[in-house]
Amino acid sequence: MKNYVVETDNLIYKKKNFWLDYLGKAFIVICAMIAIFIIVFEIMHDSAPVYGVSMQPTLNSQGATKSDIVYINSFANFTYGDIVVIKKQSSIDSDHIIKRVIGMAGDTIDIKQDDDGEVYVYRNGKKLVEDYIYNVKTSGDPNNLGMRQTLENFIALRVASREPDGTSTAVFDKNGRLVVQKDQVFVLGDNRGRSIDSSVDGPFAVDEVVGVVDYIIPNGTAPFYYFLKVFTGIDLSGLSQLFK
């Protein structure tokens, strides 16, 4: 009878490197979190270039290929001072405009000349400090009347609201102040002398607000470098100059 030799399989066991294993799993988790963040960000935001001069100096446009880019959050609620995008339903081409929120439901808005000779916006009787508006005194444009143009528009709007057959949605109280109605928003451009806004058309419907501007990417700045700095604090924008 033939004898068989039974060989025992030997398992060569190598202990895992804890730190490599931990770092590998952490890397996967971080990548997953970044992917989820990017997906959610893309769902919440639309991007669009800025055209026109009505929001200078905050937003600037120098032609079709040289414009600031805005990222618009369609899920956010707006408040005073926010820049919003409005789709004008009454317009033939349903164009979008971009303006700053000045008044909301229940507010009274007045635009008048103060004792110093300058024109200011008043909300609920309080003069607004608007350090973001375009400075016509230093612009070198004598045809830009700035706040004086806004005042002229506002006075014309007040007169139009009193016409019995008028189509204005603006409501003024006995003191000549505009009263923002429920589900309305009063907006103005930062370049007051070059803006068609609520001083001309009256308040807009809240339903016409399509989103709030969360981020402004200046012309010439790559979105990747911009958001890298915003979310991580790492500024690599200088690298883009090396590849030009």
Side-chain angles (χ1 to χ4, degrees), residues 3-8:
N3 294 325
Y4 290 91
V5 178
V6 178
E7 296 182 358
T8 303

Side-chain angles (χ1 to χ4, degrees), residues 189-209:
D190 288 356
N191 188 355
R192 299 289 161 82
R194 294 285 186 265
S195 178
I196 305 300
D197 45 38
S198 289
S199 69
V200 177
D201 295 328
F204 293 93
V206 170
D207 290 343
E208 294 179 305
V209 178

Side-chain angles (χ1 to χ4, degrees), residues 1 13 20 22 63 96 99 124 135 141 179 188 210 225 229:
M1 177 180 238
Y13 180 78
L20 287 178
Y22 176 80
H96 291 77
K99 307 294 176 185
N124 301 326
N135 189 339
D141 182 3
V179 182
L188 295 174
V210 298
Y225 296 115
K229 183 177 180 180

Side-chain angles (χ1 to χ4, degrees), residues 106-112 122-126 154 158 161-162 170-181 186:
D107 289 334
T108 60
I109 302 295
D110 200 3
I111 299 173
K112 59 185 179 180
Y122 287 78
R123 181 174 63 225
N124 301 326
K126 184 178 180 179
F154 193 72
R158 183 187 292 139
S161 70
R162 295 170 182 167
V171 177
F172 287 82
D173 63 17
K174 62 181 181 179
N175 295 315
R177 299 174 300 182
L178 185 146
V179 182
V180 184
Q181 303 297 296
F186 187 93

